Amino acid sequence: MRVVQWATGGVGKAAIETILLHPELELVGCWVHSAGKGGRDVGELLGREPLGVRTTTSLDEVLAMDADCVLYSPLVPDRDVVAALLRSGKNVVTPVGWFYPSERDGAPLAAACEEGRSTLHGTGINPGGITELHPLVFSALSSAVTFVRGEEFSDIRTYDAPDVVRHLMMFGGRPEEAMGGPMLGLLSGGFVQSVRMCLDALGFSRDAEIRTAQAVAVATAPIDSPIGTIEPGLVAGQRFVWEAVVRDRVVVRVAVNWLMGEEHLDPAWTFGPEGERFEVELQGDPPAHVTIKGWQPASVAEGLARNPGVVATAVHCVNSIPYVVAAEPGIRTYLDLPLVAGRAHPDLA
Ligand SMILES: NC(=O)c1ccc[n+]([C@@H]2O[C@H](COP(=O)([O-])OP(=O)(O)OC[C@H]3O[C@@H](n4cnc5c(N)ncnc54)[C@H](OP(=O)(O)O)[C@@H]3O)[C@@H](O)[C@H]2O)c1
């Protein structure tokens, strides 16, 4: 299957590496955002051997390509671009949204899928993994489910996107800037879809109320970080929570805990003895409690060079491609697709 990569940030670069290793996929094109990256060999742009595939900054060139799928991972999604790709007959897999859109939110892109006989699938790690897919996978082994949870505990110093961390997430800013900033709204776009997928798939009451919360911790001493030194009193930790409540009981909980280290925070938030991790919890008969290690780097330096959480996001997208290409046209979620599996290492295949 012929694949075009859209954008070469952390996700895009890892996606290209993964496409090259996948036995059923071939990289045939690559869109780049910055003009200076256009017209280059993709391999050379990534600091590896030439691949014989040139980058382009032109949407029209991508639309004209003969390709089965576009892996769409820019910083800022553009619904019109996604619609144009779908109308041109290309399937789209993306970590930026459309995990489980409402009928109203999904309608314009569902129409584009219909026109191009193409499929759109949103996937990733968080949302797109531990916040809905993995709780649902484990729910198959429990009856009478009363609660599911997906939660991230990460050192945000390992996320190599300083502009996003400083100006969107508002780390290093004043607490009131972070609390009034755009992050809760931006994150809610994805995580509320996770919550709704859990509610619908598990059959919780349609009257469930969804509520959100945000809290910040400030530095108590100067903290060294990729966005510069965070001075005492400025934001160095954030928690975001989305909960669905049925008859006064929390039935779905999604949360992220992003800390600039654990040493100098007020409140004195830590990761606890288990350290950085992702968690999936389910209360039912029997219950399940899963801790995922390996999606966080061993050190800040390692994370800045290649963050396993970003790689996992890209790989989830790439591994979905054969199933998305084979799917019926439309917006297709985990609730529609068959089991998505990875592929063996080429040396062992
Ligand atoms: N669902 C999940 O679990 C999950 C996990 C990780 C990331 N994501 C999402 O995936 C996307 C990519 O993440 P990333 O870690 O790869 O980000 P990144 O490293 O910051 O890379 C972003 C890419 O977008 C390009 N870009 C910058 N401004 C743009 C604009 N205005 N329009 C279009 N493209 C622009 C950049 O181009 P240049 O390189 O030319 O500057 C870069 O290639 C983000 O939207 C992120 O929120 C989702």
Side-chain angles (χ1 to χ4, degrees):
M1 286 160 230
R2 296 165 61 81
V3 183
V4 176
Q5 173 57 40
W6 188 282
T8 52
V11 172
K13 283 188 217 153
I16 290 169
E17 292 169 13
T18 311
I19 292 165
L20 297 174
L21 284 170
H22 195 293
E24 290 132 71
L25 305 180
E26 181 192 357
L27 183 75
V28 296
C30 179
W31 180 91
V32 285
H33 169 64
S34 307
K37 294 184 179 173
R40 309 247 320 259
D41 184 277
V42 177
E44 285 171 359
L45 185 65
L46 267 57
R48 52 186 293 158
E49 77 285 0
L51 295 173
V53 178
R54 295 235 150 251
T55 60
T56 177
T57 54
S58 158
L59 167 63
D60 287 339
E61 273 185 38
V62 174
L63 294 178
M65 281 176 194
D66 172 19
D68 298 293
C69 191
V70 177
L71 199 163
Y72 182 78
S73 62
L75 185 59
V76 190
D78 182 333
R79 197 172 68 177
D80 293 340
V81 169
V82 178
L85 293 168
L86 292 167
R87 276 198 302 267
S88 80
K90 290 167 189 68
N91 300 289
V92 175
V93 171
T94 179
V96 304
W98 302 289
F99 308 97
Y100 187 59
S102 67
E103 212 170 307
R104 201 190 59 182
D105 288 347
L109 292 185
C113 290
E114 187 59 37
E115 205 179 318
R117 307 300 298 155
S118 52
T119 301
L120 171 64
H121 175 60
T123 184
I125 183 173
N126 186 20
I130 64 129
T131 49
E132 66 303 276
L133 174 63
H134 301 146
L136 292 178
V137 165
F138 285 100
S139 75
L141 287 75
S142 286
S143 75
V145 176
T146 56
F147 175 70
V148 294
R149 174 174 66 91
E151 186 155 1
E152 174 182 358
F153 300 82
S154 290
D155 189 331
I156 200 69
R157 291 176 303 177
T158 66
Y159 186 39
D160 184 27
D163 286 344
V164 175
V165 174
R166 175 65 193 92
H167 300 296
L168 221 49
M169 295 180 165
M170 303 287 183
F171 279 93
R174 285 179 289 115
E176 55 276 21
E177 285 173 335
M179 291 300 289
M183 210 53 203
L184 183 60
L186 287 172
L187 292 172
S188 292
F191 286 121
V192 168
Q193 295 183 44
S194 297
V195 171
R196 286 200 191 285
M197 184 185 280
C198 290
L199 288 171
D200 288 353
L202 294 168
F204 283 113
S205 166
R206 294 200 152 261
D207 298 332
E209 178 205 343
I210 296 181
R211 59 191 190 199
T212 60
Q214 177 184 6
V216 300
V218 295
T220 55
I223 298 175
D224 239 2
S225 85
I227 58 167
T229 304
I230 298 181
E231 298 295 343
L234 300 182
V235 173
Q238 295 199 64
R239 271 185 182 157
F240 297 90
V241 179
W242 294 263
E243 286 179 338
V245 181
V246 174
R247 284 167 223 132
D248 294 330
R249 286 177 72 170
V250 175
V251 295
V252 181
R253 180 181 160 94
V254 165
V256 293
N257 303 268
W258 289 326
L259 315 187
M260 289 276 179
E262 303 179 89
E263 277 151 17
H264 305 296
L265 298 177
D266 176 24
W269 293 345
T270 68
F271 298 125
E274 290 185 79
E276 287 181 88
R277 64 198 181 279
F278 288 83
E279 280 187 354
V280 174
E281 179 189 350
L282 180 143
Q283 295 301 330
D285 181 22
H289 196 151
V290 184
T291 300
I292 301 166
K293 292 288 216 174
W295 290 348
Q296 275 116 348
S299 67
V300 172
E302 203 178 283
L304 292 175
R306 188 173 184 273
N307 190 311
V310 173
V311 175
T313 302
V315 174
H316 204 182
C317 290
V318 174
N319 281 332
S320 306
I321 292 173
Y323 307 91
V324 171
V325 170
E328 287 296 308
I331 299 176
R332 299 290 165 224
T333 74
Y334 307 118
L335 303 185
D336 309 301
L337 296 179
L339 173 78
V340 170
R343 294 293 182 272
H345 190 285
D347 293 350
L348 299 171

